Amino acid sequence: MEKAYSILLAVIVGVSVALQGSINAELGKYTNSKIAALFSFLVGTIILLGINLFSNNIKTIGNVFKAPPYLVVGGILGVIIVFFTIKVMPVLGAGATLSIIVITQVITGIAIDHFGLFGVDKQPLTVVKAVGVALLFIGVRLIVK
């Protein structure tokens, strides 16, 4: 996949994360956070099932059971992301919530790169990256009052 296309997809993901959290939090006001999270996953599951059936990828579903068991933690992390975002966004607001999430993602990503975790090629922490994180902290502090 070319870099420009990957950047575009990453931007779409960023917009989607912001919209999803806000929309799910609003849905939670009509019901509760647990039902809102359940509905979010239910709709996503139905769409992904359709995509996999349509693309004929469903036949490889058995390969999931060949993967190391810790890799299914992704589903648990998805629940944490959706459920906790629904809970905190009405309290902190979208900007503060997302800025905290982004800085945490960046720090975690840098650690994954630095140690080469989960099959990622090692990319050591540099002074420039550390300065970037410090600047992000300043930005988050300015947003989260």
Side-chain angles (χ1 to χ4, degrees), residues 60-117:
T60 64
I61 197 167
N63 292 342
V64 170
F65 301 104
K66 297 176 185 174
Y70 76 90
L71 294 178
V72 300
V73 170
I76 297 167
L77 295 173
V79 170
I80 290 169
I81 292 163
V82 171
F83 181 63
F84 288 2
T85 300
I86 291 170
K87 297 292 274 183
V88 303
M89 198 168 279
V91 176
L92 299 177
T97 299
L98 292 170
S99 63
I100 293 167
I101 290 170
V102 167
I103 185 72
T104 307
Q105 287 175 317
V106 170
I107 292 168
T108 304
I110 288 172
I112 290 168
D113 284 345
H114 180 75
F115 295 107
L117 303 175

Side-chain angles (χ1 to χ4, degrees), residues 6-53:
S6 295
I7 291 170
L8 174 63
L9 292 181
V11 168
I12 292 169
V13 169
V15 170
S16 298
V17 168
L19 292 174
Q20 181 195 38
S22 300
I23 289 168
N24 284 342
E26 184 67 15
L27 179 61
K29 292 177 185 175
Y30 287 89
T31 176
N32 64 62
S33 54
K34 293 178 190 97
I35 294 297
L38 175 65
F39 188 77
S40 178
F41 278 100
L42 181 62
V43 170
T45 299
I46 291 168
I47 290 170
L48 284 171
L49 180 61
I51 289 169
N52 279 288
L53 287 170

